[in-house]
Amino acid sequence: MPHKDGGWQVKRDGDERASHRAATKADAEKIGREISRNQETELQVHKRDGTIGGSDSHGNDPNPPSG
């Protein structure tokens, strides 16, 4: 998600402070994706306006897609 002082931040849901800060969205997303895989959590990628632009689950999905 965007950082208030510029750049992009990686932040766990519910935390007030960012765990990482990056100059570009791509760098922040790369860091966040690695953390999400290691912790088996869902990654939510935000747009500049703060809305969720996409998500990716790396955890145990209780409702996996059929087929």
Coordinates of all heavy atoms in Angstrom, one line a residue:
M1 N 0.8 -1.2 0.0 CA 0.0 0.0 0.0 C 0.9 1.2 0.0 O 2.0 1.2 0.4 CB -1.0 0.0 1.2 CG -0.3 0.0 2.5 SD -1.4 0.0 4.0 CE -2.9 -0.6 3.4
P2 N 0.4 2.4 -0.5 CA 1.2 3.6 -0.5 C 1.6 4.0 0.9 O 0.8 3.8 1.9 CB 0.2 4.6 -1.1 CG -0.9 3.9 -1.7 CD -1.0 2.6 -1.0
H3 N 2.7 4.6 1.1 CA 3.2 5.1 2.4 C 2.9 6.6 2.4 O 3.1 7.3 1.4 CB 4.7 4.8 2.5 CG 5.2 5.0 3.9 ND1 5.5 6.3 4.4 CD2 5.4 4.2 5.0 CE1 5.9 6.2 5.6 NE2 5.8 4.9 6.0
K4 N 2.5 7.1 3.6 CA 2.1 8.5 3.7 C 3.3 9.4 3.4 O 3.1 10.6 3.0 CB 1.6 8.8 5.1 CG 2.6 8.6 6.2 CD 2.0 8.8 7.6 CE 3.0 8.5 8.6 NZ 3.5 9.6 9.3
D5 N 4.5 9.0 3.6 CA 5.7 9.8 3.3 C 6.3 9.6 1.9 O 7.4 10.0 1.7 CB 6.7 9.6 4.4 CG 6.2 10.1 5.8 OD1 5.4 11.0 5.8 OD2 6.6 9.5 6.8
G6 N 5.6 8.8 1.1 CA 6.1 8.5 -0.2 C 6.6 7.1 -0.3 O 6.9 6.5 0.7
G7 N 6.6 6.6 -1.5 CA 7.0 5.2 -1.7 C 5.8 4.2 -1.4 O 4.7 4.6 -1.3
W8 N 6.2 3.0 -1.1 CA 5.2 1.9 -0.8 C 5.6 1.2 0.4 O 6.8 1.1 0.7 CB 5.1 1.0 -2.0 CG 4.5 1.7 -3.2 CD1 5.2 2.5 -4.1 CD2 3.1 1.7 -3.6 NE1 4.3 3.0 -5.1 CE2 3.0 2.5 -4.8 CE3 2.0 1.1 -3.1 CZ2 1.8 2.7 -5.4 CZ3 0.8 1.3 -3.8 CH2 0.7 2.1 -4.9
Q9 N 4.6 0.7 1.1 CA 4.9 -0.1 2.4 C 4.3 -1.5 2.3 O 3.4 -1.7 1.7 CB 4.4 0.7 3.5 CG 2.9 0.9 3.6 CD 2.4 1.7 4.7 OE1 3.1 2.0 5.7 NE2 1.2 2.3 4.6
V10 N 5.0 -2.3 3.1 CA 4.5 -3.7 3.4 C 4.0 -3.7 4.8 O 4.8 -3.3 5.7 CB 5.6 -4.7 3.1 CG1 5.1 -6.1 3.5 CG2 6.1 -4.7 1.7
K11 N 2.8 -4.1 5.0 CA 2.2 -3.9 6.4 C 1.3 -5.1 6.6 O 0.5 -5.5 5.8 CB 1.4 -2.6 6.4 CG 1.0 -2.1 7.7 CD 0.4 -0.7 7.4 CE -0.6 -0.3 8.5 NZ -1.1 1.0 8.2
R12 N 1.4 -5.7 7.8 CA 0.4 -6.8 8.2 C -0.9 -6.2 8.6 O -1.0 -5.1 9.1 CB 1.0 -7.5 9.4 CG 2.1 -8.5 9.0 CD 2.4 -9.4 10.2 NE 1.3 -10.2 10.5 CZ 1.2 -11.5 10.4 NH1 2.3 -12.2 9.9 NH2 0.1 -12.2 10.7
D13 N -2.0 -6.9 8.3 CA -3.3 -6.4 8.6 C -3.4 -6.1 10.1 O -3.1 -7.0 10.9 CB -4.3 -7.5 8.1 CG -5.7 -7.0 8.1 OD1 -5.9 -5.8 8.0 OD2 -6.6 -7.8 8.3
G14 N -3.9 -4.9 10.4 CA -4.1 -4.6 11.8 C -2.9 -3.8 12.4 O -3.0 -3.2 13.5
D15 N -1.7 -3.9 11.8 CA -0.5 -3.2 12.3 C -0.6 -1.8 12.0 O -1.1 -1.4 10.9 CB 0.8 -3.8 11.8 CG 1.1 -5.2 12.4 OD1 0.4 -5.6 13.4 OD2 2.1 -5.8 12.0
E16 N -0.1 -0.9 12.9 CA 0.0 0.5 12.6 C 1.2 0.9 11.8 O 1.2 1.8 10.9 CB 0.0 1.3 13.9 CG -1.4 1.2 14.6 CD -1.4 2.1 15.8 OE1 -0.7 3.2 15.8 OE2 -2.2 1.8 16.8
R17 N 2.3 0.2 12.0 CA 3.6 0.6 11.4 C 3.9 -0.4 10.3 O 3.6 -1.6 10.3 CB 4.7 0.5 12.4 CG 4.5 1.6 13.4 CD 5.7 1.7 14.4 NE 6.9 1.9 13.7 CZ 8.1 1.9 14.2 NH1 8.3 1.6 15.5 NH2 9.2 2.2 13.5
A18 N 4.6 0.0 9.2 CA 5.0 -0.8 8.1 C 6.2 -1.7 8.6 O 7.0 -1.2 9.3 CB 5.4 0.1 7.0
S19 N 6.2 -2.9 8.1 CA 7.4 -3.8 8.4 C 8.5 -3.5 7.4 O 9.7 -3.7 7.7 CB 7.0 -5.3 8.4 OG 6.4 -5.6 7.1
H20 N 8.1 -3.1 6.2 CA 9.1 -2.7 5.2 C 8.6 -1.5 4.4 O 7.4 -1.3 4.2 CB 9.3 -3.9 4.2 CG 10.0 -5.1 4.8 ND1 9.3 -6.0 5.6 CD2 11.3 -5.5 4.9 CE1 10.1 -6.9 6.0 NE2 11.3 -6.7 5.6
R21 N 9.5 -0.8 3.8 CA 9.2 0.3 2.9 C 10.1 0.3 1.7 O 11.3 0.0 1.8 CB 9.4 1.6 3.7 CG 8.9 2.8 2.9 CD 8.9 4.0 3.8 NE 8.8 5.2 3.0 CZ 9.1 6.4 3.4 NH1 9.5 6.6 4.7 NH2 9.0 7.5 2.7
A22 N 9.5 0.5 0.5 CA 10.2 0.4 -0.8 C 9.9 1.6 -1.6 O 8.9 2.3 -1.5 CB 9.8 -0.9 -1.5
A23 N 10.8 1.9 -2.5 CA 10.6 3.1 -3.4 C 9.6 2.8 -4.5 O 8.9 3.7 -4.9 CB 12.0 3.4 -4.1
T24 N 9.4 1.6 -4.9 CA 8.5 1.3 -6.0 C 7.4 0.3 -5.5 O 7.7 -0.5 -4.6 CB 9.1 0.7 -7.2 OG1 9.7 -0.6 -6.9 CG2 10.2 1.6 -7.7
K25 N 6.3 0.3 -6.2 CA 5.2 -0.7 -5.8 C 5.7 -2.1 -6.1 O 5.4 -3.0 -5.4 CB 4.0 -0.3 -6.7 CG 2.8 -1.3 -6.4 CD 1.6 -0.8 -7.2 CE 0.4 -1.8 -6.9 NZ -0.8 -1.4 -7.7
A26 N 6.4 -2.3 -7.2 CA 6.9 -3.6 -7.6 C 7.8 -4.2 -6.5 O 7.7 -5.4 -6.2 CB 7.6 -3.5 -9.0
D27 N 8.7 -3.4 -6.0 CA 9.6 -3.8 -4.9 C 8.9 -4.2 -3.7 O 9.1 -5.2 -3.1 CB 10.7 -2.8 -4.6 CG 11.7 -2.6 -5.7 OD1 11.8 -3.5 -6.6 OD2 12.4 -1.6 -5.7
A28 N 7.9 -3.4 -3.3 CA 7.1 -3.7 -2.1 C 6.3 -4.9 -2.3 O 6.1 -5.8 -1.4 CB 6.1 -2.5 -1.8
E29 N 5.7 -5.1 -3.5 CA 4.9 -6.3 -3.8 C 5.8 -7.6 -3.7 O 5.4 -8.6 -3.2 CB 4.3 -6.2 -5.2 CG 3.2 -7.3 -5.4 CD 2.5 -7.0 -6.7 OE1 2.4 -5.9 -7.2 OE2 2.0 -8.0 -7.3
K30 N 7.0 -7.5 -4.2 CA 8.0 -8.6 -4.2 C 8.3 -9.0 -2.8 O 8.3 -10.2 -2.4 CB 9.2 -8.2 -4.9 CG 10.3 -9.3 -5.0 CD 11.5 -8.9 -5.8 CE 12.5 -9.9 -5.9 NZ 13.7 -9.5 -6.6
I31 N 8.5 -8.0 -1.9 CA 8.8 -8.3 -0.5 C 7.6 -8.9 0.2 O 7.7 -9.9 0.9 CB 9.2 -7.0 0.2 CG1 10.6 -6.5 -0.3 CG2 9.3 -7.2 1.7 CD1 10.9 -5.0 0.1
G32 N 6.4 -8.3 -0.1 CA 5.2 -8.7 0.5 C 4.8 -10.2 0.1 O 4.4 -11.0 0.9
R33 N 5.1 -10.5 -1.1 CA 4.8 -11.8 -1.6 C 5.6 -12.9 -1.0 O 5.2 -13.9 -0.6 CB 5.0 -11.9 -3.2 CG 4.4 -13.1 -3.8 CD 4.3 -13.0 -5.3 NE 3.6 -11.8 -5.8 CZ 2.3 -11.7 -5.9 NH1 1.5 -12.7 -5.4 NH2 1.7 -10.6 -6.3
E34 N 6.9 -12.6 -0.8 CA 7.8 -13.5 -0.1 C 7.4 -13.7 1.4 O 7.4 -14.8 1.8 CB 9.3 -12.9 -0.2 CG 10.3 -13.9 0.4 CD 11.7 -13.4 0.2 OE1 12.0 -12.7 -0.8 OE2 12.5 -13.8 1.1
I35 N 7.1 -12.6 2.0 CA 6.6 -12.7 3.4 C 5.3 -13.5 3.5 O 5.1 -14.4 4.3 CB 6.4 -11.3 4.0 CG1 7.7 -10.6 4.2 CG2 5.6 -11.4 5.4 CD1 7.6 -9.2 4.6
S36 N 4.4 -13.3 2.6 CA 3.1 -14.0 2.5 C 3.3 -15.5 2.3 O 2.6 -16.3 2.9 CB 2.2 -13.4 1.4 OG 1.0 -14.1 1.3
R37 N 4.2 -15.9 1.4 CA 4.5 -17.3 1.2 C 5.1 -17.9 2.5 O 4.7 -19.0 2.8 CB 5.5 -17.4 0.0 CG 4.9 -17.3 -1.3 CD 5.9 -17.8 -2.4 NE 5.4 -17.3 -3.7 CZ 6.0 -16.4 -4.4 NH1 7.1 -15.9 -4.0 NH2 5.5 -16.1 -5.6
N38 N 6.0 -17.3 3.1 CA 6.7 -17.8 4.3 C 5.7 -18.0 5.4 O 5.8 -18.9 6.2 CB 7.8 -16.9 4.7 CG 9.0 -17.0 3.8 OD1 9.2 -17.9 3.0 ND2 9.9 -16.0 3.8
Q39 N 4.8 -17.0 5.6 CA 3.8 -17.1 6.7 C 2.5 -17.7 6.3 O 1.6 -17.8 7.2 CB 3.6 -15.7 7.2 CG 4.9 -15.1 7.8 CD 4.7 -13.7 8.4 OE1 3.6 -13.1 8.3 NE2 5.7 -13.1 8.9
E40 N 2.4 -18.1 5.0 CA 1.2 -18.8 4.5 C -0.1 -17.9 4.8 O -1.0 -18.4 5.4 CB 1.0 -20.2 5.1 CG 2.1 -21.1 4.7 CD 2.0 -22.5 5.2 OE1 1.1 -22.8 6.1 OE2 2.7 -23.4 4.7
T41 N 0.0 -16.7 4.4 CA -1.1 -15.7 4.6 C -1.6 -15.2 3.2 O -1.0 -15.5 2.2 CB -0.7 -14.5 5.4 OG1 0.4 -13.9 4.8 CG2 -0.3 -15.0 6.8
E42 N -2.6 -14.4 3.2 CA -3.1 -13.8 2.0 C -2.4 -12.4 1.8 O -2.3 -11.6 2.7 CB -4.6 -13.5 2.1 CG -5.2 -12.9 0.9 CD -6.7 -12.8 0.9 OE1 -7.3 -13.0 1.9 OE2 -7.3 -12.4 -0.1
L43 N -2.0 -12.2 0.6 CA -1.4 -10.9 0.2 C -2.4 -10.1 -0.5 O -3.1 -10.5 -1.4 CB -0.2 -11.2 -0.8 CG 0.4 -10.0 -1.4 CD1 1.2 -9.2 -0.4 CD2 1.3 -10.4 -2.6
Q44 N -2.6 -8.8 0.0 CA -3.5 -7.9 -0.6 C -2.7 -6.7 -1.2 O -1.9 -6.1 -0.4 CB -4.5 -7.4 0.3 CG -5.5 -8.4 0.8 CD -6.5 -7.9 1.7 OE1 -6.3 -6.9 2.4 NE2 -7.7 -8.6 1.8
V45 N -2.8 -6.5 -2.5 CA -2.0 -5.5 -3.2 C -3.0 -4.3 -3.3 O -4.0 -4.4 -3.9 CB -1.5 -5.9 -4.5 CG1 -0.7 -4.8 -5.2 CG2 -0.6 -7.2 -4.3
H46 N -2.6 -3.1 -2.8 CA -3.4 -1.9 -2.9 C -3.0 -1.0 -4.0 O -1.8 -1.0 -4.4 CB -3.3 -1.2 -1.5 CG -3.9 -1.9 -0.4 ND1 -5.1 -1.5 0.2 CD2 -3.5 -3.0 0.2 CE1 -5.4 -2.4 1.2 NE2 -4.4 -3.3 1.2
K47 N -4.0 -0.3 -4.5 CA -3.7 0.8 -5.5 C -3.3 2.1 -4.8 O -3.3 2.2 -3.6 CB -5.0 1.1 -6.3 CG -5.6 -0.1 -7.0 CD -6.8 0.3 -7.8 CE -7.7 -0.8 -8.0 NZ -9.0 -0.4 -8.6
R48 N -2.9 3.0 -5.6 CA -2.4 4.3 -5.0 C -3.5 5.0 -4.1 O -3.2 5.6 -3.1 CB -2.0 5.3 -6.1 CG -1.6 6.6 -5.5 CD -0.4 7.3 -6.0 NE 0.8 6.6 -6.4 CZ 1.9 6.4 -5.6 NH1 1.9 6.8 -4.4 NH2 2.9 5.8 -6.1
D49 N -4.8 4.8 -4.5 CA -5.9 5.4 -3.7 C -6.3 4.6 -2.5 O -7.2 5.0 -1.7 CB -7.1 5.6 -4.6 CG -7.8 4.3 -5.1 OD1 -7.3 3.2 -4.7 OD2 -8.7 4.3 -5.9
G50 N -5.5 3.5 -2.2 CA -5.7 2.8 -1.0 C -6.7 1.6 -1.1 O -6.8 0.8 -0.2
T51 N -7.4 1.5 -2.3 CA -8.3 0.4 -2.4 C -7.5 -0.9 -2.8 O -6.4 -0.8 -3.3 CB -9.4 0.7 -3.5 OG1 -8.7 0.9 -4.8 CG2 -10.3 1.9 -3.1
I52 N -8.1 -2.0 -2.6 CA -7.5 -3.3 -2.9 C -7.5 -3.5 -4.4 O -8.6 -3.5 -5.0 CB -8.1 -4.5 -2.2 CG1 -7.9 -4.3 -0.7 CG2 -7.5 -5.8 -2.6 CD1 -8.7 -5.3 0.2
G53 N -6.4 -3.7 -5.0 CA -6.3 -3.9 -6.5 C -6.2 -5.4 -6.8 O -6.4 -5.8 -8.0
G54 N -5.9 -6.2 -5.9 CA -5.7 -7.7 -6.1 C -5.3 -8.4 -4.9 O -4.9 -7.8 -3.9
S55 N -5.5 -9.7 -4.9 CA -5.0 -10.5 -3.7 C -4.5 -11.8 -4.2 O -4.9 -12.3 -5.3 CB -6.1 -10.6 -2.7 OG -7.2 -11.3 -3.2
D56 N -3.7 -12.5 -3.3 CA -3.2 -13.8 -3.7 C -3.0 -14.5 -2.3 O -2.4 -14.1 -1.4 CB -1.8 -13.6 -4.3 CG -1.3 -14.8 -5.0 OD1 -2.0 -15.9 -4.9 OD2 -0.2 -14.8 -5.5
S57 N -3.6 -15.7 -2.3 CA -3.6 -16.5 -1.0 C -2.5 -17.5 -1.1 O -2.3 -18.2 -2.1 CB -4.9 -17.2 -0.8 OG -4.9 -18.0 0.3
H58 N -1.6 -17.5 -0.1 CA -0.6 -18.5 0.1 C -0.8 -19.4 1.2 O 0.1 -20.1 1.6 CB 0.8 -17.7 0.3 CG 1.1 -16.9 -0.9 ND1 1.0 -15.5 -1.0 CD2 1.6 -17.3 -2.2 CE1 1.4 -15.1 -2.1 NE2 1.8 -16.1 -2.9
G59 N -2.0 -19.4 1.8 CA -2.3 -20.2 2.9 C -3.1 -21.4 2.6 O -3.3 -21.7 1.4
N60 N -3.7 -22.0 3.6 CA -4.5 -23.2 3.4 C -5.9 -22.7 3.1 O -6.6 -22.2 4.0 CB -4.5 -24.0 4.7 CG -5.3 -25.3 4.6 OD1 -5.7 -25.7 3.4 ND2 -5.6 -25.9 5.7
D61 N -6.4 -22.8 1.9 CA -7.6 -22.3 1.4 C -8.8 -23.2 1.8 O -8.8 -24.4 1.3 CB -7.6 -22.0 -0.1 CG -8.8 -21.3 -0.6 OD1 -9.8 -21.1 0.2 OD2 -8.8 -20.9 -1.8
P62 N -9.7 -22.9 2.7 CA -10.8 -23.8 3.1 C -11.8 -24.0 1.9 O -12.6 -24.9 2.0 CB -11.4 -23.1 4.3 CG -11.1 -21.7 4.1 CD -9.8 -21.6 3.4
N63 N -11.8 -23.1 0.9 CA -12.7 -23.2 -0.2 C -12.0 -23.1 -1.5 O -12.1 -22.2 -2.3 CB -13.8 -22.1 -0.1 CG -14.6 -22.2 1.1 OD1 -15.2 -23.2 1.4 ND2 -14.7 -21.1 1.9
P64 N -11.2 -24.2 -1.9 CA -10.4 -24.1 -3.1 C -11.3 -24.2 -4.3 O -12.4 -24.7 -4.2 CB -9.5 -25.3 -3.0 CG -10.2 -26.3 -2.1 CD -11.0 -25.4 -1.2
P65 N -10.9 -23.6 -5.4 CA -11.7 -23.6 -6.6 C -11.9 -25.1 -7.1 O -11.0 -25.9 -7.0 CB -11.0 -22.8 -7.7 CG -9.6 -22.6 -7.1 CD -9.7 -22.9 -5.6
S66 N -13.1 -25.4 -7.7 CA -13.3 -26.7 -8.2 C -12.7 -26.9 -9.6 O -12.6 -25.9 -10.3 CB -14.8 -27.0 -8.2 OG -15.5 -26.1 -9.0
G67 N -12.4 -28.1 -9.9 CA -11.9 -28.4 -11.3 C -10.5 -28.5 -11.4 O -9.5 -28.6 -11.4

